[in-house]
Amino acid sequence: MSLQEEINKRRTFGIISHPDAGKTTLTEKLLLFGGAIQSAGAVKNNKIKKTATSDFMEIEKQRGISVATSVMAFNYRGKQINILDTPGHKDFAEDTYRTLTAVDSVILVIDCANGVEAQTERLMEVCRMRNTPVIVFINKMDREGRDAFDLLDELEEKLAIKVKPMSWPIGIGASFKGVYNMHRDTLNLFSGNKTQIEKEIVEIKDLDDPLLNDTIGDKDAEMLREEVELVNGVYGDFDRETYLSGEVAPVYFGSALNNFGVQELLNSFVEISPTPRGRISDKGPVEPTDKNFSGFVFKIHANIDPKHRDRIAFLRIVSGEFKRNTFYKNIRLDKKVKFSNPTSFMASSKEIIDEAYPGDVIGLYDTGTFKIGDTLTTGEDFMYKGIPSFSPELFREVQNDDPMKTKQLEKGLEQLTDEGVAQLFIKQPGNRKIIGTVGELQFEVIQYRLKHEYNASCSFMHRPHHKACWITSDKQAEIDEFVRRKSMNIAYDKEGNIVFLADSPFLLSQAELDYPAITFHTTSDFKLD
Ligand code: G4P
């Protein structure tokens, strides 16, 4: 198969939602419809199995949240679908943001009773920054929820994106009868069924077909006709280009738990979703069809097996063909590396692969050299942009509780922060270590993992900072002056960049006023500009 054909075959996307909207259930059902798993419940079972093999996952079990981002690949209708799962919990938002750099589109799951929730808004902001195409799945239609028009209004308003309903629900909750597919003129009738892939589809000629009345009754048929007329008037026709450019989100209604609307979603997804896209590097855009292989690391998972200190780096392939046992250049280290056992993430099993193509995510074993954001190429010198570190919002100073294990503590902190669990800043005098996170939970994760994976103990001392800002200026003298005057709030990131730890929004804007020649960056993106 040619490179172009391999590219055309692939679809790489993420499912995002506020916790509990039904992301796990939908993922599982997509795998079920894709033939990748045989029975419902497998994804959750798998989650539990993983928990048993890894101590760290104990936290996930206890909290009932998905800490780790995983990748699941399966074949459907001649396409290779790669689903990148993302943790819904807000404390792991950074992990999710990074994963979103590795997908070409997303499916956003909304709970029909709760509508747009806080975490949905934040995730969509990241999608909008990158013009990622979005499909919305309004879930739990078997439960009492909000009016469909209301939900669509809220989506447009809170997510700042236009919507286009592709199907329309008939009733909701106890009176939910199914959905009408506006493109195919079909009725997909609902029957609560959690275990089987049953579908009852009635084809009608158009909305005037008397079969509609015979099937759902006169009252609902009349209501459907009225609503669809209104929907068509308000939202117009679906235009794939506006979806691909991230301006319009097609919307589907269903119930993942009942396997309802999932097949329709999957079929439409393979029809309309984008093939793997290129990425922007610091030397310009790179297209997937470029012959030379390139890719970037967006996630690192360490110590999957605590007995072997191995790490697995998740690499998204951007261009060309990846081959096993071939030397590629890690640009940051200026070093050639090769991989003898790269793995794919087929949902059924993890297997060693000989080659992989744009859109694929592969797992590379390494012993601690990779960092998030690393670029691999066949030799060209460029770095992919856009895996920013956002300013943390919570800060703690690390206290070593077991001085005999100082080395282990340092190594653990170094590796865990390479993985992106949190950010590490060094403060002088005394090389004090400040950890910055976006959520409380990460401190627990760090403590737990230091103990279980590195045999080191630490506690944390609260630091009253509000934000970490990277500072740059054309005028070195002004930077020097600032560092001297604000020495109490100056620290350095792992690459040695100067960071201002502002104690409050007021003090940050004051510093901006007092030092106009200095730019204060709240993401680390500036490094690549
Ligand atoms: P998440 O990954 O987004 O956090 O959500 P998850 O799929 O775990 O779903 C959250 C809860 O919502 C689960 O119930 C799940 O069964 C339920 N759910 C998902 N889709 C639907 C749907 O279409 N209709 C209804 N009525 N419920 C749905 P739970 O009680 O928390 O878990 P479980 O005991 O069922 O596993």
Side-chain angles (χ1 to χ4, degrees):
M1 222 188 274
S2 69
L3 178 60
Q4 184 70 61
E5 285 167 324
E6 294 285 0
I7 294 168
N8 290 347
K9 222 179 99 176
R10 285 163 167 79
R11 300 288 184 277
T12 302
F13 75 105
I15 304 184
I16 55 176
S17 78
H18 192 85
D20 268 353
K23 185 166 58 63
T24 312
T25 312
L26 180 65
T27 307
E28 176 177 284
K29 297 307 168 83
L30 289 173
L31 294 177
L32 191 64
F33 280 81
I37 54 171
Q38 304 316 319
S39 65
V43 172
K44 281 201 171 152
N45 289 343
N46 187 29
K47 242 191 195 175
I48 293 162
K49 247 187 263 154
K50 264 197 273 168
T51 315
T53 53
S54 157
D55 276 342
F56 162 57
M57 289 298 164
E58 192 61 28
I59 294 181
E60 177 182 14
K61 195 166 111 188
Q62 283 163 10
R63 304 262 174 180
I65 53 166
S66 175
V67 172
T69 305
S70 51
V71 184
M72 287 157 282
F74 64 95
N75 291 308
Y76 184 74
R77 293 195 164 176
K79 304 276 186 270
Q80 181 180 321
I81 317 272
N82 301 315
I83 305 182
L84 275 56
D85 191 20
T86 53
H89 195 284
K90 71 170 179 30
D91 286 9
F92 293 90
E94 278 231 34
D95 203 355
T96 300
Y97 298 156
R98 282 192 294 260
T99 300
L100 291 180
T101 64
V103 303
D104 300 304
S105 71
V106 302
I107 292 181
L108 168 64
V109 187
I110 300 275
D111 180 327
C112 72
N114 298 339
V116 175
E117 296 172 83
Q119 193 56 13
T120 327
E121 280 187 64
R122 289 180 75 177
L123 291 168
M124 270 299 295
E125 262 172 47
V126 179
C127 292
R128 271 202 317 275
M129 268 159 61
R130 316 176 60 83
N131 299 323
T132 308
V134 179
I135 293 179
V136 177
F137 183 73
I138 299 188
N139 191 28
K140 305 196 187 181
M141 291 300 290
D142 59 314
R143 279 214 198 141
E144 294 309 322
R146 306 221 327 246
D147 174 69
F149 283 106
D150 265 8
L151 285 168
L152 295 179
D153 282 352
E154 188 178 83
L155 284 168
E156 291 203 331
E157 201 181 298
K158 288 201 176 161
L159 303 182
I161 188 167
K162 289 207 182 71
V163 296
K164 162 68 186 136
M166 306 294 270
S167 62
W168 194 253
I170 305 162
I172 192 164
S175 60
F176 182 55
K177 290 197 173 156
V179 295
Y180 164 64
N181 183 313
M182 318 242 248
H183 288 268
R184 298 188 232 280
D185 275 326
T186 51
L187 289 175
N188 193 353
L189 298 179
F190 175 70
S191 64
N193 190 334
K194 297 182 181 126
T195 49
Q196 281 176 9
I197 307 176
E198 274 296 327
K199 55 181 196 276
E200 221 182 311
I201 292 187
V202 179
E203 281 189 40
I204 51 174
K205 281 201 290 300
D206 55 36
L207 279 174
D208 293 327
D209 193 332
L211 188 57
L212 181 65
N213 294 55
D214 297 346
T215 320
I216 60 173
D218 290 341
K219 196 165 145 265
D220 281 332
E222 215 32 63
M223 174 114 102
L224 180 67
R225 288 188 185 107
E226 275 172 27
E227 289 188 343
V228 170
E229 195 184 327
L230 195 58
V231 168
N232 284 335
V234 175
Y235 299 102
D237 290 334
F238 172 64
D239 169 17
R240 185 170 177 235
E241 287 313 309
T242 55
Y243 154 66
L244 291 178
S245 59
E247 291 160 67
V248 176
V251 179
Y252 294 85
F253 294 85
S255 165
L257 187 64
N258 293 288
N259 298 321
F260 188 78
V262 178
Q263 182 112 48
E264 186 186 28
L265 176 73
L266 187 55
N267 289 346
S268 302
F269 174 80
V270 291
E271 229 171 82
I272 65 171
S273 65
T275 52
R277 300 169 142 194
R279 291 291 186 277
I280 308 289
S281 78
D282 58 351
K283 303 269 165 63
V286 178
E287 292 305 321
T289 44
D290 282 1
K291 290 263 170 317
N292 294 329
F293 159 79
S294 69
F296 62 89
V297 172
F298 64 94
K299 180 181 172 62
I300 293 172
H301 201 116
N303 307 328
I304 295 171
D305 179 354
K307 284 198 264 339
H308 305 102
R309 180 97 359 123
D310 57 350
R311 312 206 296 176
I312 191 161
F314 291 65
L315 181 106
R316 151 84 197 217
I317 296 174
V318 178
S319 67
E321 183 185 3
F322 172 89
K323 288 203 181 89
R324 183 154 84 106
N325 278 328
T326 305
F327 276 102
Y328 294 117
K329 185 168 170 184
N330 182 329
I331 304 299
R332 181 179 54 84
L333 299 173
D334 193 20
K335 199 175 142 196
K336 294 245 172 182
V337 277
K338 68 173 179 171
F339 304 92
S340 52
N341 53 357
T343 57
S344 74
F345 295 95
M346 290 306 283
S348 40
S349 64
K350 248 206 251 134
E351 29 188 72
I352 292 181
I353 44 133
D354 289 316
E355 69 263 315
Y357 297 92
D360 283 344
V361 172
I362 55 173
L364 303 176
Y365 285 97
D366 99 303
T367 46
T369 47
F370 275 126
K371 276 192 183 182
I372 302 263
D374 274 355
T375 299
L376 283 188
T377 72
T378 45
E380 303 76 11
D381 281 316
F382 63 76
M383 289 285 282
Y384 281 109
K385 299 177 86 165
I387 308 206
S389 300
F390 294 86
S391 168
E393 284 157 23
L394 301 170
F395 299 84
R396 307 267 189 279
E397 186 170 329
V398 179
Q399 309 224 287
N400 186 355
D401 288 347
D402 184 354
M404 300 296 286
K405 299 278 161 51
T406 303
K407 266 209 175 123
Q408 284 87 331
L409 180 72
E410 302 221 326
K411 182 161 186 197
L413 285 174
E414 189 73 25
Q415 292 201 340
L416 293 180
T417 48
D418 276 355
E419 244 186 76
V421 177
Q423 291 178 55
L424 179 64
F425 304 104
I426 307 293
K427 212 173 147 0
Q428 301 302 345
N431 272 333
R432 281 174 289 154
K433 294 181 174 57
I434 314 265
I435 299 278
T437 71
V438 292
E440 285 290 346
L441 203 47
Q442 268 121 327
F443 293 109
E444 279 178 51
V445 169
I446 291 170
Q447 231 166 7
Y448 185 95
R449 292 188 59 182
L450 283 171
K451 182 95 212 127
H452 287 82
E453 294 165 24
Y454 298 90
N455 199 16
S457 300
C458 76
S459 46
F460 295 111
M461 201 169 76
H462 179 76
R463 300 283 312 197
H465 310 307
H466 149 74
K467 278 244 150 66
C469 300
W470 287 266
I471 58 169
T472 54
S473 174
D474 296 339
K475 298 188 178 138
Q476 188 56 41
E478 188 134 340
I479 295 253
D480 294 343
E481 162 79 5
F482 184 78
V483 168
R484 198 167 51 77
R485 286 191 169 251
K486 305 276 179 195
S487 63
M488 296 296 287
N489 290 72
I490 295 293
Y492 295 84
D493 72 8
K494 283 171 88 174
E495 276 89 48
N497 298 298
I498 305 172
V499 177
F500 172 52
L501 302 172
D503 287 344
S504 69
F506 171 75
L507 288 171
L508 177 56
S509 43
Q510 196 61 45
E512 282 172 323
L513 280 178
D514 292 347
Y515 295 87
I518 295 182
T519 316
F520 296 79
H521 310 264
T522 50
T523 76
S524 62
D525 249 1
F526 74 92
K527 290 182 211 164
L528 292 167
D529 287 341

